[in-house]
Amino acid sequence: MTVDVTGTINQTVHPAFQLVRQHHVEALDILVSEYAHKVTGAIHYHLATSHDENVFLVAFRTQPMDSKGTAHILEHTALCGSEKFPVRDPFFLMIRRSLNTFMNAFTSADWTAYPFATQNKKDFQNLLSVYLDAAFAANLNPLDFAQEGIRVELENDEPVYKGVVFNEMKGAMSAPSDQLYHQLAHHLFPETTYHYNSGGDPKDIPDLTYDQLVSFYKSHYHPSNAVFMTFGNQSAYELQEQFEKLALAKFQKGTTLYSKPEKRLAAPIQVSEHYAVDSDDLSDKTYHVLAWLLPEASDIKLRLGLRLVEGILLENSASPLRHYLETCGYAQSTGPLMGVDDSNFEMTFYCGVQGSNPEHAEEFKAGVLKILSDVAAAPIDPAWVDAILHQIELHQREINGDGMPYGLSLILNGLSSAIHHNDPIHVWDVDSAIEQVKEELKDPMWLSNLIQTHLLDNPHRVQMTLIPDAEKSAKEQAEEKARLAALGETLTDADRARIQAETEALKQRQDTPDNLDLLPKVGLEDVPADLHIVQGQLREIISNRHDYPLNLYHAGTNGLYYQQVLIQIPDAVVQSPYFNLLSILMGEVGAGDYDYLELQQLQTAVSGGLGMGASLRSKVDDKGKISAWLTLTTKSLNEKYDAIELLKLAFEKLRFDEKDRIVELLQQRATRWKSRLSGSGHSYAMQVASRNASALAQRDYHNTGLGALNWLSDLV
């Protein structure tokens, strides 16, 4: 039998599945049930809750052993038509025929996932049928592989490479942060799948063949290698009935992939690599990073302990390692890779800086190791440990989706553990792990010893210096051009005729209208006639001797409280370029009697952070005017009301006398802004094109466009 969230027995287990276990996560008020499919061994985690928004995800363990982009191209191609839905583009067509709140697909380093969410039951059924057929009965048309992956076409009788993923990865790999990660992973992981770029390296993608793609699909996209995860108020029985009918019944037992430990380095290594940059001025553009390979993520106590270590070292500007990296003098900002990554089979720890120069590599390493040695030599302040534990508990309890449905956010948090045959319940319910950690913390040197063992004494350490190279892009383009020229010399007349025929066939396929009747859709009859609108209670509040209406709405917040203060902003302030800068100072510089280091520690201990921003909208009746409100925000566990007073203090008594800190923050903003430019070209183009559409668009163009970056750089 299964039980619902209240503990009531409500139905039998589906005959195709067996119930492995159930666990109620009190902090989240969800019942997690783990099931296994009897024939294939497919795992299903169902997160039962009263939420109307239901979420589905199926993920496969994908472990490419090259950088041809097989997993990424397969993710695209699987969504280009299937056995029951033989249309060219069911994924994007369903976006227009659905009431979904989320539809997408992801390729990670060692898994590929297909999630969606919706609040409509008929819509859920429609999307489930399309997604399951795409995952387990994909057509994988060779023309779709050519479109989504890689193909050769003739332009002016010369061969050129084309393909959606090929071009997508060219764009992605132009970002310095992506080049940093993949070049570092190449050294940190000598042998396992993480050594390679699962998204695909543009130099290697042309080597992928259609037959290799099909072979990868057959070996990886099998229920025995799959994890199903669902969230919402539908029953597990009802879901599994659909899994069985729509996909699983036609499969027998297959192969299940397992991750393996990485070959360990006998001694630390130091490497230099280069990244492409479009600038003749190469000064202050070098990245320095140190990375350690840690034990497997399956040890939840160690995993949480290392999260505490990360907090001790890097939580905020008062943390010793972050403080050193921010104030070292030879770099402009901390790097994009910071802290513990526990999403892979084995954990990693990173720290780094950007905006530096190559000659500071030794100084960087010596400085980081000295900080680690100093921290490891003495017990950690218990008050600081409690503050970090507060942050972990706050993060665990908070219901938000970071731009995606809450249920999907929870599912993705636990997915990595399930993929690696570990226990995702430990991720969703950290209370028991926290209790284990608190037992260990009775030893005042426990965290210090973790730093000594897993960072200082760990020989599997890579130091990388990533140096800008103004000629790298040109070299890579020349290499691709030379490869295509060599290919052109080998093409026979028959080869050229075949390429032209394939190009024409793809164009014809792209131009052929799809039969939309093959796809399910929701109609007006599937939309509830009554719209559920939350009803509040109207009260009055007196402020400055004036009566104002107060609307009260009751909502569970899982033991957290949130405060938001709104203040109307005069137009002169809205238009000022300094207003945007002000928002990055609050909470980052001192306030009142607290310097910025003390205020940072206090924030961590009592709140989930202090925020300042702006809510800007065009006036409903006049696009030439802007409705502008300053927003001050904070949150915390409901027993820590000090956060409200701290928000007031940080705003009213912000320390403008901390000039060095202010310059440091502005420099960090400029450096990080510049590092993101290569991946944001389309955003700036849209901004320029729409700048005269309204007063708000004009304001954004002047305050957040490329001109604003140049102004900020000059200001610093």
Side-chain angles (χ1 to χ4, degrees):
M1 307 295 286
T2 60
V3 293
D4 62 19
V5 177
T6 64
T8 304
I9 296 174
N10 57 11
Q11 62 189 20
T12 58
V13 176
H14 191 277
F17 285 79
Q18 62 184 21
L19 177 62
V20 178
R21 59 181 172 146
Q22 291 184 315
H23 180 85
H24 183 254
V25 182
E26 186 176 354
L28 304 177
D29 194 22
I30 59 173
L31 178 71
V32 180
S33 302
E34 179 186 354
Y35 301 88
H37 188 243
K38 292 178 180 178
V39 175
T40 66
I43 300 300
H44 175 209
Y45 287 96
H46 180 55
L47 282 62
T49 173
S50 59
H51 286 239
D52 292 329
E53 187 174 45
N54 284 270
V55 181
F56 167 85
L57 175 146
V58 61
F60 301 96
R61 300 174 180 92
T62 48
Q63 299 180 1
M65 293 303 292
D66 55 49
S67 295
K68 297 177 184 178
T70 317
H72 187 187
I73 293 170
L74 180 55
E75 172 218 313
H76 282 238
T77 313
L79 294 172
C80 290
S82 60
E83 185 178 295
K84 294 177 183 175
F85 306 105
V87 295
R88 188 181 71 256
D89 199 353
F91 178 78
F92 284 101
L93 290 172
M94 283 303 295
I95 290 177
R96 304 199 298 265
R97 302 166 68 85
S98 164
L99 298 172
N100 74 85
T101 53
F102 188 92
M103 281 179 65
N104 212 332
F106 309 128
T107 301
S108 187
D110 58 359
W111 53 261
T112 304
Y114 297 88
F116 70 80
T118 180
Q119 295 186 21
N120 184 282
K121 191 167 184 180
K122 174 68 180 300
D123 192 37
F124 186 94
Q125 178 59 43
N126 291 347
L127 291 171
L128 184 64
S129 62
V130 172
Y131 265 64
L132 287 176
D133 211 52
F136 295 104
N139 284 340
L140 301 185
N141 189 304
L143 292 176
D144 293 328
F145 165 70
Q147 171 185 276
E148 298 298 321
I150 186 69
R151 66 186 184 276
V152 174
E153 289 190 5
L154 297 176
E155 291 185 354
N156 300 320
D157 207 37
E158 296 296 327
V160 295
Y161 290 131
K162 292 189 176 182
V164 173
V165 170
F166 176 72
N167 288 319
E168 180 183 323
M169 292 310 297
K170 273 194 168 184
M173 292 304 294
S174 67
S177 57
D178 284 278
Q179 296 179 61
L180 174 69
Y181 174 79
H182 288 293
Q183 296 200 60
L184 180 61
H186 184 80
H187 296 286
L188 190 63
F189 299 98
E191 295 183 350
T192 60
T193 186
Y194 309 111
H195 179 80
Y196 306 98
N197 183 346
S198 65
D201 190 314
K203 296 191 300 294
D204 298 320
I205 290 174
D207 295 327
L208 181 64
T209 67
Y210 172 73
D211 288 341
Q212 290 171 337
L213 183 88
V214 173
S215 176
F216 192 89
Y217 175 75
K218 290 178 178 178
S219 61
H220 289 75
Y221 278 47
H222 189 282
S224 298
N225 196 44
V227 175
F228 293 84
M229 288 188 168
T230 51
F231 169 96
N233 58 12
Q234 293 194 53
S235 71
Y237 188 101
E238 185 180 8
L239 292 163
Q240 290 161 5
E241 175 70 17
Q242 297 304 309
F243 298 167
E244 180 70 7
K245 181 175 71 173
L246 297 173
L248 300 184
K250 62 184 178 182
F251 286 93
Q252 297 300 314
K253 181 68 175 176
T255 301
T256 304
L257 295 180
Y258 289 84
S259 301
K260 66 176 185 177
E262 183 58 80
K263 178 183 177 181
R264 295 285 165 159
L265 297 176
I269 61 173
Q270 190 165 335
V271 296
S272 293
E273 298 287 358
H274 293 80
Y275 75 98
V277 60
D278 295 326
S279 173
D280 293 329
D281 181 10
L282 304 182
S283 61
D284 298 333
K285 290 183 173 66
T286 292
Y287 291 76
H288 296 291
V289 61
L290 278 166
W292 290 260
L293 186 62
L294 306 174
E296 296 176 16
S298 56
D299 186 337
I300 188 63
K301 183 172 69 175
L302 178 60
R303 187 173 177 174
L304 190 55
L306 290 170
R307 279 289 180 192
L308 278 171
V309 165
E310 174 192 316
I312 297 301
L313 295 172
L314 296 168
E315 178 69 22
N316 57 47
S317 295
S319 304
L321 184 53
R322 181 175 291 275
H323 181 67
Y324 168 73
L325 297 174
E326 289 182 348
T327 61
C328 61
Y330 55 76
Q332 296 174 343
S333 173
T334 54
L337 300 178
M338 296 284 282
V340 173
D341 180 358
D342 53 13
S343 63
N344 293 333
F345 180 61
E346 294 172 292
M347 296 179 285
T348 46
F349 185 90
Y350 304 100
C351 70
V353 292
Q354 58 186 330
S356 186
N357 292 288
E359 62 268 21
H360 296 296
E362 283 301 318
E363 184 180 2
F364 164 71
K365 179 179 73 173
V368 169
L369 294 181
K370 183 180 186 305
I371 294 295
L372 296 178
S373 297
D374 290 346
V375 176
I380 309 296
D381 181 359
W384 187 230
V385 175
D386 287 343
I388 304 301
L389 283 171
H390 164 249
Q391 292 299 312
I392 291 174
E393 184 178 358
L394 189 150
H395 177 74
Q396 173 72 2
R397 287 182 175 274
E398 186 167 21
I399 300 175
N400 69 41
D402 295 326
M404 65 175 62
Y406 169 61
L408 180 57
S409 182
L410 279 181
I411 283 173
L412 291 175
N413 286 342
L415 178 59
S416 178
S417 292
I419 285 291
H420 299 126
H421 303 279
N422 297 328
D423 189 354
I425 290 176
H426 289 320
V427 178
W428 295 318
D429 189 359
V430 298
D431 288 348
S432 60
I434 287 176
E435 290 306 312
Q436 295 179 49
V437 164
K438 285 181 177 178
E439 282 297 311
E440 295 288 356
L441 288 173
K442 292 178 180 178
D443 175 1
M445 289 297 291
W446 183 62
L447 291 176
S448 304
N449 290 337
L450 291 182
I451 296 172
Q452 185 70 45
T453 300
H454 297 290
L455 299 180
L456 290 169
D457 296 340
N458 181 0
H460 198 114
R461 184 183 79 220
V462 175
Q463 179 184 359
M464 191 170 81
T465 304
L466 190 66
I467 303 168
D469 183 348
E471 299 178 356
K472 187 174 183 181
S473 289
K475 291 176 187 174
E476 291 175 346
Q477 291 172 11
E479 290 171 359
E480 181 181 314
K481 189 174 181 179
R483 179 175 180 176
L484 286 165
L487 173 63
E489 292 176 359
T490 67
L491 293 176
T492 64
D493 290 343
D495 291 330
R496 293 177 182 275
R498 174 182 51 80
I499 291 172
Q500 289 173 338
E502 290 172 350
T503 301
E504 182 57 34
L506 176 58
K507 184 177 185 301
Q508 185 175 350
R509 178 169 170 79
Q510 292 169 335
D511 292 342
T512 301
D514 278 315
N515 181 1
L516 299 184
D517 292 336
L518 295 173
L519 291 170
K521 65 178 180 179
V522 283
L524 288 176
E525 68 277 7
D526 301 311
V527 180
D530 297 324
L531 183 64
H532 176 64
I533 300 176
V534 176
Q535 297 297 315
Q537 297 178 353
L538 182 61
R539 298 286 188 271
E540 288 186 347
I541 187 171
I542 299 175
S543 177
N544 295 329
R545 299 181 180 180
H546 292 281
D547 289 344
Y548 293 96
L550 175 67
N551 291 283
L552 302 177
Y553 297 89
H554 293 279
T557 60
N558 222 12
L560 275 66
Y561 72 81
Y562 299 82
Q563 170 141 5
Q564 185 175 74
V565 180
L566 301 180
I567 304 171
Q568 198 160 18
I569 315 172
D571 188 65
V573 176
V574 174
Q575 300 296 341
S576 170
Y578 292 98
F579 175 66
N580 278 3
L581 303 185
L582 185 65
S583 65
I584 71 169
L585 300 185
M586 198 194 80
E588 295 293 334
V589 299
D593 295 333
Y594 298 105
D595 64 25
Y596 81 91
L597 297 176
E598 294 169 331
L599 189 70
Q600 293 267 293
Q601 289 179 307
L602 191 55
Q603 281 186 73
T604 301
V606 304
S607 78
L610 309 177
M612 177 191 291
S615 176
L616 305 178
R617 301 285 188 275
S618 292
K619 287 276 191 180
V620 174
D621 55 351
D622 188 351
K623 68 177 184 179
K625 295 182 180 179
I626 301 172
S627 172
W629 293 82
L630 181 72
T631 60
L632 304 175
T633 59
T634 190
K635 61 191 174 188
S636 191
L637 299 178
N638 58 16
E639 70 269 17
K640 292 181 179 288
Y641 291 106
D642 294 343
I644 296 173
E645 285 300 317
L646 195 62
L647 179 67
K648 184 173 186 291
L649 173 70
F651 175 63
E652 292 184 347
K653 298 185 178 181
L654 192 147
R655 293 273 297 268
F656 289 104
D657 60 322
E658 294 187 331
K659 295 181 181 179
D660 290 343
R661 174 62 173 171
I662 292 173
V663 171
E664 177 186 301
L665 290 168
L666 298 183
Q667 181 66 69
Q668 290 177 15
R669 181 178 177 87
T671 300
R672 291 167 183 167
W673 194 343
K674 290 175 184 175
S675 71
R676 295 193 300 267
L677 285 180
S678 61
S680 305
H682 62 292
S683 298
Y684 290 112
M686 291 167 61
Q687 188 180 61
V688 172
S690 63
R691 68 186 184 278
N692 294 319
S694 67
L696 179 58
Q698 187 71 236
R699 185 261 177 200
D700 286 345
Y701 171 70
H702 288 296
N703 285 273
T704 64
L706 294 178
L709 173 58
N710 293 331
W711 174 83
L712 176 60
S713 299
D714 292 341
L715 178 70
V716 173

